[in-house]
Amino acid sequence: MTSGTRLLLIGPPGAGKGTQASRLASAFGVPAISTGDIFRANVANQTPLGQKVKAIMDAGEYVPDDITNAIVAQRLREPDALAGFLLDGYPRTPEQVAELDRVLSAEHEALDAVVQLDADTDEVVARLVKRAAEQGRADDTDEVIRHRLSVYEQQTAPLIQHFAQRDLLVKVDGLGAVDEVTQRILAALAAFGVVASR
Ligand code: AMP
């Protein structure tokens, strides 16, 4: 097993995962890998992948598992991810969990912790509506926001229980100032035995 920290960040859209992911990744000296960012970059560059996933993302649906799994498996084989990573927004379905487990066990690697960033629904809707006004993301309209939250509740929230049963879950309240939440996550991880190097 290679040294380094392997973390997942899980939580509803609008919980602040992206912001916290880059801060945690730099604290642990690992790359932050966001499937949402990878898909958005492909859409922006109009790659074949981007053309395939644009309508799915705009509708707030999940990109099919085979596509998503292939992207992540490839990304995790890149040199910077070999000594640890922080995955933001993946896995989101049971099939993605199974694939990640296969990829890691093939490398004799294992997850160190799964951070659940908790936020109440009213708060995340308010944040997403604000982000829509600021960034104009196509998947941040009122109707799509509600749909994304319900897809999360149905397909992804059940994974939390799964990771709790594997004794990997570290639950953190995502409400508050960005710095405060980062410190809260780092403290919770340290209490769990996962300590940042920087
Ligand atoms: P995010 O920025 O993580 O909220 O992702 C934005 C969108 O990208 C999602 O609403 C999905 O359409 C797609 N996406 C990102 N990650 C995944 C994933 N793990 N599985 C399926 N679709 C994903």
Side-chain angles (χ1 to χ4, degrees):
M1 188 180 303
T2 5
S3 64
T5 309
R6 294 177 178 82
L7 300 171
L8 307 183
L9 191 53
I10 193 165
K17 291 191 302 296
T19 308
Q20 296 301 331
S22 49
R23 292 167 152 245
L24 295 173
S26 72
F28 283 95
V30 297
I33 300 174
S34 155
T35 42
D37 283 351
I38 294 171
F39 289 138
R40 274 186 291 278
N42 277 275
V43 170
N45 294 324
Q46 300 183 345
T47 67
L49 171 68
Q51 284 164 3
K52 217 184 288 181
V53 302
K54 184 180 187 312
I56 298 171
M57 292 177 73
D58 287 353
E61 300 286 348
Y62 282 173
V63 173
D65 286 334
D66 56 342
I67 298 179
T68 309
N69 282 338
I71 299 280
V72 174
Q74 186 186 15
R75 179 66 186 85
L76 291 181
R77 280 196 296 269
E78 286 176 32
D80 67 328
L82 295 179
F85 55 77
L86 183 145
L87 273 168
D88 159 21
Y90 179 96
R92 269 165 139 117
T93 66
E95 193 35 59
Q96 293 178 17
V97 173
E99 172 65 7
L100 179 62
D101 283 342
R102 278 192 290 272
V103 170
L104 293 181
S105 67
E107 301 294 328
H108 306 288
E109 292 168 356
L111 295 172
D112 293 292
V114 177
V115 176
Q116 177 195 356
L117 201 54
D118 210 19
D120 87 23
T121 308
D122 289 346
E123 175 65 22
V124 299
V125 171
R127 285 188 192 182
L128 290 168
V129 168
K130 184 161 168 266
R131 185 171 73 186
E134 289 165 0
Q135 301 177 1
R137 262 175 60 164
D139 60 353
D140 269 353
T141 65
D142 245 31
E143 194 187 332
V144 178
I145 287 169
R146 263 191 290 275
H147 185 61
R148 290 171 69 212
L149 283 166
S150 87
V151 171
Y152 172 82
E153 285 305 325
Q154 283 167 24
Q155 302 205 43
T156 305
L159 305 183
I160 290 168
Q161 189 54 29
H162 167 85
F163 288 120
Q165 279 164 3
R166 288 168 61 176
D167 282 331
L168 284 170
L169 198 70
V170 175
K171 184 172 169 173
V172 181
D173 182 359
L175 207 67
V178 171
D179 269 341
E180 204 179 297
V181 175
T182 307
Q183 291 314 316
R184 209 180 283 154
I185 298 172
L186 290 173
L189 281 170
F192 190 72
V194 179
V195 182
S197 55
R198 309 180 174 183

